[in-house]
Amino acid sequence: MKVYQQYINGEFRDAASREQFEVVNPFTEKVVAMAPKGGVEDAALALEAASSARKAWAAKPCAERAVFLKKMAEVIRGNREMLARTLAEEQAKVLPLAQVEIDATAEYFDYYAGWSRKYEGEVIQSDRPTENILLYRQPIGIVVGICPWNFPFFVMARKVAPSILTGCPIILKPSSDTPNTTFEFAKLIAGIGLPKGVLNFVSGGGSTLGDALVKSPEAGLITLTGSVETGQRIIAATAENITKTSLELGGKAPVIVCDDCDLDLTVKAVVASRVIFSGQVCNCAERVYVEESIYDEFMTRLTKAMAAVAYGDPFADPAPDMSSQINEAQMLKIEAMVKKAKVEGAEVLVGGGRGDDQPSGFFYKPTLLANCTQDMEIVRKEIFGPVLPVVKVSGFDEALNLANDCEYGLTSSIFTKNVTKMMRAINELEFGETYVNREHFEAIQGFHAGWRKSGIGGADGKHGLYEYLQTHVAYIQY
Ligand code: NAD
């Protein structure tokens, strides 16, 4: 079994308390690693290290900082299989998807390395004849990055890459469900020559270690990817110091299926979107609105496709479509939501229970629910599992209204060949992203940002980079 240490100020160290926690493989239900249970003292050490590194790191030319991102991409590619297997093991992600995540993470570091000579300040016109006004973009300071368990490696890069590029030291805390890949990465980058304190990895509880980091007056930016509830706690915890937050939170992505859509493409995309990583993806199909005139045909095809979804061992060859949920609590949450939906009138067309035909693991069967209505919890709250509720609508206007009637606003999608419906959806859907005729998944050069309770700020691309930079305007009179 592996035993990990935190990486603080360029050194590997146990938690100050010497305590550890177990990391469990959700498929085998066996402990695969022990990780340090860091707390308030560890937070203080990491903050001190980042604080000591801050000025020198910010003063380094951006192109020199970017070299480290290229090195990170290189070590990831050189250790692809080990990292993918570690990821698949700690979270029961099917191996091909784990490989995709590792590859995308290397791409992410390369992508932000490419911004090194590209981001700029501005020259602003002055009202005075002998004055120049310059807007600089300067590093925001120490970044505290808090990660979820669903894409632990990719989301780590989403926070580390822009921090390193913009000259901000970072303290990164993985989820206690999935620290292994992050700590393997820490071992790999320990030899690339980064100055001490620029990149620190700690692990431990959210309400202890996480809270101490978030509340620190030293922090310039708190970037969380996680649930709405944690986002709310972080907003409260940062109130005293008015620390900037960038919050990527939960979603309840609607899919609008129009009567003129390509049914084969739509069914394939919707099912893939719902079951990828066992439904544990923030931007994937969480509820479907289908126009009445094609409802029966669509449901016949969807039932067949959902029933064909294979689940099992994440390391099996050929790989199944999905595997176990991350832990027992998630499986129980999904089970309770489906039970409630049934009481409220939903009809189970496929699945509807635990996948207890497996030797071990926290499986919930791919599940399709018909007769769903907008007032049901299963249509309103994030499920984060392989369960798809479908609502029949009288037409396109009703679909738009119901899609927008939601406390989340992360992503949305529409399947249609009709240009008017397409354009109306893009103009009228109140979400950070809309996918047209394709399944959910964002590009690293886009901007992943939610409306309403799905978050504040965002990640990726030019706009994601700006989260790590603050403006400084100089008025120069001569
Ligand atoms: P979570 O909110 O339970 O935990 C996320 C992280 O926050 C963990 O590292 C946890 O330890 C930490 N944390 C918890 N309480 C804290 C506190 N008081 N102070 C500081 N840190 C604290 O989320 P999760 O269960 O790991 O992830 C699933 C959720 O993440 C889902 O809601 C999903 O939609 C969302 N998510 C969103 C995106 C996005 O880009 N919008 C991407 C992936 C996941």
Side-chain angles (χ1 to χ4, degrees), residues 63-77 106 108-117 164-165 192:
E64 285 181 33
R65 295 193 299 253
V67 170
F68 292 103
L69 297 186
K70 290 182 194 155
K71 288 185 185 171
M72 288 178 193
E74 229 171 79
V75 294
I76 291 171
R77 292 199 177 101
Y108 206 85
F109 282 114
D110 267 346
Y111 170 75
Y112 268 120
W115 268 98
S116 73
R117 292 187 178 92
I164 298 289
L165 186 80
I192 67 171

Side-chain angles (χ1 to χ4, degrees), residues 144-151 155 158 173-178 204-214 222 224-231 233-234 237 247-252 280-283 286 326-327 330 333 382 384 408 410 442 448-450 454-455 459:
V144 171
I146 312 249
C147 294
W149 48 258
N150 66 340
F151 285 89
V155 174
R158 250 186 181 162
K173 187 191 97 56
S175 160
S176 300
D177 281 307
T178 54
S207 57
T208 49
L209 172 71
D211 186 62
L213 291 170
V214 163
I222 311 297
L224 162 80
T225 305
S227 61
V228 170
E229 294 70 26
T230 304
R233 272 185 233 122
I234 284 181
L247 307 175
E248 315 302 317
L249 308 178
K252 186 72 191 166
Q280 304 170 125
V281 184
C282 63
N283 59 2
E286 277 263 337
I326 186 75
N327 54 35
Q330 280 297 121
K333 184 194 113 179
E382 187 181 48
F384 228 52
Y408 306 88
L410 193 58
E442 64 277 14
H448 185 54
S454 289

Side-chain angles (χ1 to χ4, degrees), residues 251-254 282-284 409-413 431-435 440 448:
K252 186 72 191 166
C282 63
N283 59 2
C284 286
L410 193 58
T411 66
S412 52
S413 66
F431 291 79
E433 282 158 32
T434 299
Y435 306 95
H440 306 77
H448 185 54

Side-chain angles (χ1 to χ4, degrees), residues 2 79-87 181 184-185 188:
K2 293 169 204 148
N79 293 275
R80 178 180 191 257
E81 274 320 296
M82 179 278 288
L83 289 167
R85 296 192 86 82
T86 305
L87 189 60
T181 321
E184 290 296 343
F185 180 66
L188 293 174

